[in-house]
Amino acid sequence: MFEPDVLMDAQIERPFAYDDHAVRLYHLGIGAKATDLHWVWEERLRVLPTFAVVPGFVPIEDCVQLPGFGIDLAALVHERQAIWVHGSLPTRAAGVARMRVRAIEDRRVGASVTFANTLTTDDGRTLATTEMTTFINGVGGCGNHGDVQKARPARMRGDADLRVEVPTSPDMAALYRLNGDTNPLHIDPDLAHRAGFERPILHGLASLGLVTRTVVDGLLDGDPAPVSGVQCRFANPVLPGQTVTVEAQHADDNQILMRALVDGQTVLKEAVLTLV
């Protein structure tokens, strides 16, 4: 049973540790190639800010076990993601991830639940904060709880400064699952059919990583250091094997607006890279 008052008190704390192996595996899972040495070779390795979703990741199967969050996985959709990093992510770190429910927004036909996860190293440094917003169909009328934020990022208008066609592998979702996001929606054909998809879909986080990597390579010369934040809304699913059109546009000195399309249909929107 979905009980917002109970869910708002829910927290999960768990240790994390990663090294360059985990970073390289993540980059491969979002489509990096053997020739992208700054993403796949430990001698030149840089860490994409979206990697922050991996350490301390809480699988959705664990989330639905939280008190007050008794739902059917088929009713849940990953709606939004935000990532904020505090300086460049290191190639190895260890510490504690602390996840809490930050907000529940009543959407009448359903509700959006935002989980905030903060990564803190053993020496007390905050590496990153990630926020995952999920939409749960059929639980509307629950009222707003916590810090509900209504502001939405700007959308691209006019001509793009970058436009790249990025093919995805048919095996991309299976590979990305090795990062810890084991939601069966991305591997189980039966669950995918129950959720209304013709076959298992690509993780939204994999799509976001692919788009961010493409924009960092195309507009920032492959250097993720200037990026302090990434956020987006998942508009439609990507099926592994489809080609993603990535577009980006400089908005001002500290923002790059992004979007992604498949066959002319928007799959990622309200996407922003925030620069330091």
Side-chain angles (χ1 to χ4, degrees), residues 2 4-5 104-108 110-112 139-145:
F2 185 70
D5 290 335
I104 299 174
E105 180 183 357
D106 190 343
R107 303 273 293 280
R108 293 191 295 180
S112 291
V139 296
C142 62
N144 290 341
H145 302 260

Side-chain angles (χ1 to χ4, degrees), residues 26-38:
Y26 170 76
H27 290 156
L28 289 169
I30 59 171
K33 307 300 183 185
T35 51
D36 299 325
L37 298 183
H38 56 303

Side-chain angles (χ1 to χ4, degrees), residues 33-263:
K33 307 300 183 185
T35 51
D36 299 325
L37 298 183
H38 56 303
W39 300 133
V40 301
W41 186 26
E42 58 275 17
E43 295 296 325
R44 300 185 186 178
L45 193 60
R46 300 169 180 176
V47 186
L48 201 67
T50 49
F51 173 75
V53 301
V54 175
F57 178 79
V58 180
I60 196 63
E61 304 95 300
D62 291 359
C63 291
V64 298
Q65 299 300 317
L66 290 171
F69 202 43
I71 63 166
D72 182 351
L73 271 177
L76 181 147
V77 176
H78 189 175
E79 184 179 42
R80 292 181 177 273
Q81 184 70 39
I83 300 163
W84 305 102
V85 294
H86 306 274
S88 297
L89 293 175
T91 58
R92 62 177 61 237
V96 176
R98 296 180 175 88
M99 190 196 78
R100 64 182 178 87
V101 178
R102 184 180 64 74
I104 299 174
E105 180 183 357
D106 190 343
R107 303 273 293 280
R108 293 191 295 180
V109 297
S112 291
V113 180
T114 298
F115 298 91
N117 198 1
T118 300
L119 304 178
T120 306
T121 63
D122 288 334
D123 61 3
R125 184 164 72 95
T126 300
L127 284 184
T129 299
T130 68
E131 291 191 351
M132 174 182 71
T133 299
T134 61
F135 178 77
I136 301 94
N137 192 34
V139 296
C142 62
N144 290 341
H145 302 260
D147 183 20
V148 175
Q149 299 178 355
K150 294 291 187 179
R152 302 302 187 213
R155 300 184 185 186
M156 283 184 57
R157 304 198 183 280
D159 295 334
D161 298 315
L162 176 75
R163 189 177 190 274
V164 183
E165 304 282 338
V166 185
T168 66
S169 164
D171 304 316
M172 189 170 179
L175 178 58
Y176 188 84
R177 292 182 82 246
L178 299 179
N179 293 294
D181 190 341
T182 55
N183 185 340
L185 179 63
H186 308 293
I187 199 71
D188 180 356
D190 292 337
L191 179 60
H193 290 156
R194 281 203 298 124
F197 304 112
E198 63 179 78
R199 55 188 172 91
I201 63 175
L202 186 61
H203 304 68
L205 292 178
S207 298
L208 177 59
L210 178 151
V211 170
T212 302
R213 175 182 57 80
T214 301
V215 174
V216 168
D217 279 340
L219 294 182
L220 298 178
D221 197 28
D223 182 8
V227 181
S228 63
V230 185
Q231 55 187 310
C232 77
R233 179 181 174 186
F234 302 110
N236 287 288
V238 177
L239 297 178
Q242 290 183 317
T243 294
V244 179
T245 300
V246 177
E247 297 181 342
Q249 179 185 77
H250 289 283
D252 51 37
D253 290 340
N254 73 332
Q255 281 194 336
I256 296 175
L257 306 183
M258 309 181 296
R259 67 183 170 210
L261 305 94
V262 171
D263 295 331

